[in-house]
Amino acid sequence: SEPDTAELTRFSAREGVSLNILLQAAWALLLQRYSREDDVIFGATRAGRQGVPVKARDTVGLCINTVPVRVMTGETTTVSGLLQALRQQWTDLRPHEHAPLAEVQKCGELPAGQPLFRSLVVFDHQTLSAAVGRRVRLYEQTGLPLTLAGYGGERMTLRLQFDPALFDDGMIDRMLGHVATLLRELTVSGERPVRELRLVAAEMEEWPLAPIAADYFTTIHEVFERQAAENPTAIALTDGDRQITYRELNARANAIARRLQIAPESLVAVFIERSAEQVIALLAVLKAGGAYVPVDSDYPAERIGFILQDSRAALVITSRMLRGKLPATEARVIVLEDGAAERENLSLPASDAAYVIYTSGSTGQPKGTLVSHANVLRLFDQTDDWFHFGREDVWTLFHSCAFDFSVWEIWGALLHGGRLVIVPYLTSRSPDAFLELLHHEKVTVLNQTPSAFYQLVAADRGEPTFLRTIIFGGEALDPAKLEPWFDRHGEETPRLINMYGITETTVHVTYRPVRRGMRRSVIGEPIPDLELLILDANLRPCPIGVPGEMLVGGGGVARGYLHQPELTAERFIPHPRDAARRLYRTGDLARRLPDGDIEYLGRIDHQLKVRGFRIEPGEIEAALTDLDGITQALVVPRPDASGSQQLVAYLCAQTLPDDLRERLSRRLPGYMIPAAFVRLDRLPLTAHGKVDLAALPMPQPAAAGGGEAPSSVLEKKIADIWREVLGLEAVSVDDNFFDLGGHSLL
């Protein structure tokens, strides 16, 4: 508008800069917000008539040239600081304004074919009509995806050219609106930090609050007990050839609960292999008034010991098989006995906390998330309209109880009167065997991480299925990899559902049916009693299409991290609009799409998700640098030959110990041990002192075949399989599959 243009003119005069500089500042800030990068480069045009022969101003011809403009801002950069830095850069460029862009491109260290910038800013002090003439139509093409042109006059005009293969009209309209808003925001105050400037008008920053969480006066085990009373002879658990009814499951859990004799809110570690006994023990802990802490039986002794010590568990329930693997602990230990049963349900004070699940921690140690009974019960109540789970459903316990997907699997079956099928560990690692189990047990509800399901898709041959719902979670979904499944089974039988979630918000946050032709990792809408916000660094809503951090509020938000008040306060923050509410900062990046859907973009920090497991590289790096001789470690995901993500560790050391993998396995679970180790003298750095990920060398295939050659028929068959899967020329009988870069999916 004319008033806005007049204010821009007055503000630019006070700051001693041109309108061109203001426009460049607004564009730089837009690029930073869209890309979440503080260091951006764009092109800008110069008249090209300075520092050349005297009569250049009167020479007919095109002297205009394009030069790169680089803008870097920090936490304390003010509007005035940004404008003056741009003005100084514009002055410093004057001696070089005739340098051909192709020569400028060679000055950088960019990979071949990568342009120095992908957008251009052009400013003309004339009005658009004066610049082109009232009887002339303007046709221009720059060869860049985006060109922002500004024209002066009493009312500034902005024009944005774009590549229609990359952008649509709606996004360009929003982008122009954001530039206009940033120009207005710049004029508020020169002392204002640029990080506080809005992309959207203040009146658009309001959003509806999630409903107040409902009060729950019941518990998980009480809902289960009602199912047991109503359907005592229905099968609750299938474990191989064993069938356990609801009456028997309830009675055996009652008997164990009476043995526990714990105070309300006590934490009880459950260290039992995947089995019916494991589920019975979890239920017994709840009945006894405690909260269970699941400990995976495959964890190394150091991690098991850490969880027992950090949780301060008063009691450990284990099996005869695992008693010898249990590290020394001050907690009381109970070995699960067979056959005990007790008909009467216990009448004990119930714990508010239901379980504590440990996830990888950025400090180098795991952290325990405390989740309540209400968190779990409202999850199933709020998703009932989508799923309608019932007594006819058959579920699988496919995942470790130390992974929160198991909460959805176990209680999804038992709170609805369904049947839970225990999947043996080896079956869970064999897609063919797992497919056979699904058919044999007539499973109707399947829960999978995308990585695991892709393997199932490859093994599937299109046989009729009893499945009615397949639910994804745990990591980003690549919809394109589901097309073969759709070709064989269609979209409705079964339905495929993508559910984003994290441990701290009770398993699931969103719901999104997956359809043919989807090309983005979209996660849909939040569960009705949750709010999912996409906010910038100042906790303001990000506009449509602009990436930001996802924050979750509402009934699913956990109580916090066990015995870690500072970390809890850092991640579970007061709601910007209601301090009595809390939001959980997920650390995940996403953006809203024009149709209201949400596209998941990955992690903001360095946390990774590999094959469904949430991994903090910092924890692995800390374990590596604790080893003698390793001075620095960096762990990053890299695709293997099959395209699956694998962890690669880059280590600064004189030499790497031969038993590196074995020593690491004493501290970390298998899924956190890198597939490859690369020794470096030092980590490559960028000009800003950050690790240059692009310069890290790809790991070389592990040397194999140096030992005894396969001799028997079986050894030769195994060696042939290993060579094919691992891409090796030779394999000896002394080689270790995992040392050669293998992992469970391979």
Side-chain angles (χ1 to χ4, degrees):
S1 67
E2 290 186 13
D4 285 339
T5 302
E7 182 56 37
L8 280 172
T9 303
R10 286 192 292 269
F11 179 74
S12 64
R14 289 198 302 271
E15 292 293 324
V17 298
S18 65
L19 289 178
N20 185 16
I21 294 294
L22 284 183
L23 185 62
Q24 289 184 29
W27 185 249
L29 292 173
L30 179 137
L31 292 180
Q32 289 184 345
R33 299 290 179 85
Y34 273 51
S35 65
R36 295 184 61 84
E37 294 285 349
D38 294 331
D39 185 353
V40 296
I41 300 178
F42 57 90
T45 56
R46 295 181 67 94
R49 295 181 183 269
Q50 301 289 335
V52 291
V54 177
K55 295 184 178 180
R57 290 182 178 274
D58 302 321
T59 300
V60 177
L62 188 65
C63 296
I64 196 170
N65 191 31
T66 301
V67 293
V69 178
R70 182 177 187 176
V71 177
M72 294 176 283
T73 62
E75 289 287 316
T76 60
T77 303
T78 63
V79 169
S80 290
L82 170 62
L83 297 177
Q84 296 309 317
L86 268 171
R87 178 189 178 190
Q88 185 60 47
Q89 184 176 174
W90 207 236
T91 301
D92 293 342
L93 280 171
R94 183 166 294 165
H96 312 285
E97 66 179 2
H98 301 103
L101 192 58
E103 294 301 315
V104 177
Q105 175 83 20
K106 296 177 183 178
C107 297
E109 296 181 357
L110 297 171
Q114 180 175 324
L116 191 58
F117 50 80
R118 293 180 174 85
S119 67
L120 179 68
V121 177
V122 181
F123 188 80
D124 195 320
H125 289 278
Q126 300 181 78
T127 63
L128 180 58
S129 59
V132 301
R134 296 184 182 277
R135 299 175 61 184
V136 176
R137 288 188 178 182
L138 179 64
Y139 295 93
E140 290 182 330
Q141 186 170 346
T142 64
L144 292 170
L146 289 169
T147 299
L148 175 67
Y151 299 90
E154 294 182 355
R155 183 179 181 185
M156 182 188 283
T157 303
L158 301 178
R159 184 169 58 89
L160 191 55
Q161 280 181 235
F162 63 97
D163 181 346
L166 300 176
F167 304 95
D168 57 38
D169 289 355
M171 185 171 186
I172 295 300
D173 286 341
R174 290 190 297 274
M175 199 176 287
L176 279 168
H178 298 160
V179 175
T181 300
L182 283 167
L183 283 169
R184 297 186 194 99
E185 289 279 293
L186 285 169
T187 65
V188 172
S189 169
E191 300 307 312
R192 191 178 181 189
V194 294
R195 64 193 301 271
E196 294 182 4
L197 271 58
R198 298 181 176 95
L199 278 181
V200 294
E203 60 270 15
M204 297 175 63
E205 292 191 350
E206 298 296 321
W207 67 88
L209 295 170
I212 296 294
D215 291 325
Y216 279 81
F217 301 102
T218 187
T219 60
I220 293 171
H221 54 279
E222 287 171 337
V223 175
F224 166 79
E225 288 166 359
R226 288 200 293 268
Q227 291 290 349
E230 294 172 6
N231 298 278
T233 60
I235 302 300
L237 295 178
T238 297
D239 187 4
D241 295 331
R242 298 169 61 197
Q243 303 272 27
I244 299 176
T245 66
Y246 271 83
R247 177 191 289 134
E248 181 184 354
L249 174 56
N250 192 48
R252 292 195 56 192
N254 284 339
I256 296 171
R258 291 189 188 281
R259 289 183 59 196
L260 300 187
Q261 298 180 350
I262 56 175
E265 291 277 319
S266 293
L267 298 185
V268 178
V270 177
F271 182 57
I272 300 174
E273 62 277 7
R274 193 183 310 180
S275 60
E277 282 67 32
Q278 185 185 62
V279 177
I280 294 169
L282 301 180
L283 181 57
V285 172
L286 299 182
K287 282 173 170 282
Y292 64 83
V293 183
V295 183
D296 195 302
S297 59
D298 286 332
Y299 281 169
E302 184 172 338
R303 193 178 184 90
I304 296 170
F306 173 84
I307 293 175
L308 296 180
Q309 181 179 8
D310 184 75
S311 66
R312 303 171 196 170
L315 183 66
V316 180
I317 305 177
T318 188
S319 64
R320 292 187 181 278
M321 183 189 307
L322 293 179
R323 180 65 181 91
K325 188 179 178 182
L326 191 67
T329 174
E330 296 179 0
R332 184 162 57 99
V333 178
I334 289 182
V335 178
L336 210 59
E337 304 284 349
D338 290 332
E342 173 60 57
R343 288 289 182 90
E344 294 299 321
N345 295 324
L346 278 69
S347 298
L348 296 173
S351 166
D352 177 54
Y355 61 83
V356 174
I357 283 182
Y358 275 78
T359 61
S360 188
S362 57
T363 60
Q365 296 289 2
K367 56 186 185 293
T369 302
L370 193 63
V371 178
S372 71
H373 285 263
N375 288 147
V376 177
L377 293 174
R378 46 73 36 199
L379 172 65
F380 292 106
D381 286 348
Q382 294 294 324
T383 56
D384 184 61
D385 286 344
W386 289 327
F387 294 110
H388 304 293
F389 297 133
R391 294 171 181 171
E392 72 285 354
D393 280 319
V394 180
W395 298 60
T396 55
L397 178 55
F398 181 90
H399 299 92
S400 164
C401 281
F403 181 18
D404 71 327
F405 220 157
S406 66
V407 173
W408 176 258
E409 293 179 304
I410 294 171
W411 306 118
L414 300 182
L415 298 186
H416 296 94
R419 178 164 65 96
L420 181 65
V421 178
I422 310 296
V423 181
Y425 176 80
L426 291 179
T427 301
S428 72
R429 293 299 180 265
S430 169
D432 291 315
F434 186 48
L435 268 176
E436 184 178 345
L437 179 143
L438 295 177
H439 292 302
H440 181 264
E441 298 294 348
K442 300 180 180 178
V443 173
T444 63
V445 180
L446 176 61
N447 303 278
Q448 293 272 273
T449 62
S451 291
F453 190 71
Y454 301 151
Q455 307 300 309
L456 204 64
V457 171
D460 175 61
R461 295 296 177 265
E463 295 89 348
T465 176
F466 294 93
L467 290 167
R468 71 178 184 90
T469 305
I470 299 173
I471 299 160
F472 300 116
E475 63 183 354
L477 176 70
D478 182 355
K481 293 183 178 180
L482 304 179
E483 291 300 318
W485 178 274
F486 286 133
D487 291 340
R488 294 190 288 265
H489 298 279
E491 292 184 339
E492 298 299 328
T493 51
R495 294 184 307 149
L496 273 57
I497 307 296
N498 192 25
M499 297 189 79
Y500 164 81
I502 44 257
T503 305
E504 291 85 348
T505 56
T506 317
V507 190
H508 294 308
V509 173
T510 66
Y511 169 93
R512 177 58 156 88
V514 183
R515 302 296 185 192
R516 279 181 179 273
M518 283 173 50
R519 289 294 178 264
R520 298 183 180 190
S521 182
V522 288
I523 59 176
E525 60 181 308
I527 292 171
D529 70 336
L530 298 179
E531 57 181 322
L532 178 57
L533 310 177
I534 300 177
L535 305 182
D536 63 18
N538 289 299
L539 301 183
R540 291 197 181 110
C542 291
I544 292 172
V546 177
E549 182 181 5
M550 287 193 283
L551 286 83
V552 179
V557 177
R559 284 166 53 173
Y561 295 120
L562 188 65
H563 308 316
Q564 297 201 48
E566 292 183 359
L567 184 60
T568 297
E570 177 186 329
R571 300 300 293 272
F572 296 81
I573 65 172
H575 198 296
R577 291 183 55 200
D578 183 354
R581 299 170 181 245
R582 293 185 311 151
L583 292 174
Y584 174 69
R585 302 192 70 152
T586 68
D588 285 328
L589 193 66
R591 62 182 173 191
R592 291 193 185 277
L593 301 178
D595 62 2
D597 213 335
I598 297 170
E599 181 181 7
Y600 175 78
L601 300 173
R603 294 294 302 173
I604 289 177
D605 54 23
H606 296 295
Q607 194 178 82
L608 310 172
K609 279 195 176 181
V610 177
R611 301 192 291 279
F613 291 99
R614 194 165 84 181
I615 297 169
E616 283 281 4
E619 183 174 354
I620 307 173
E621 291 163 1
L624 285 165
T625 52
D626 282 347
L627 301 177
D628 293 339
I630 298 178
T631 59
Q632 197 173 0
L634 176 70
V635 176
V636 298
R638 284 285 173 89
D640 61 18
S642 68
S644 299
Q645 291 286 66
Q646 63 175 359
L647 295 175
V648 177
Y650 293 90
L651 308 175
C652 296
Q654 292 295 323
T655 59
L656 297 182
D658 294 334
D659 61 345
L660 176 58
R661 190 179 300 275
E662 179 185 347
R663 292 162 66 181
L664 204 56
S665 67
R666 298 170 193 162
R667 178 165 174 176
L668 301 174
Y671 65 84
M672 292 180 69
I673 297 177
F677 300 92
V678 180
R679 193 200 69 79
L680 299 174
D681 292 327
R682 56 185 172 273
L683 295 175
L685 301 179
T686 66
H688 303 295
K690 300 178 182 179
V691 175
D692 188 352
L693 297 178
L696 292 171
M698 290 296 292
Q700 297 299 313
E708 181 182 346
S711 56
S712 70
V713 174
L714 180 58
E715 287 175 353
K716 290 177 180 178
K717 285 183 178 180
I718 293 174
D720 287 342
I721 294 171
W722 285 25
R723 284 201 301 270
E724 179 183 349
V725 170
L726 298 172
L728 300 174
E729 293 184 1
V731 174
S732 78
V733 298
D734 304 304
D735 287 324
N736 181 296
F737 182 76
F738 298 99
D739 289 345
L740 298 180
H743 55 70
S744 59
L745 289 182
L746 286 178

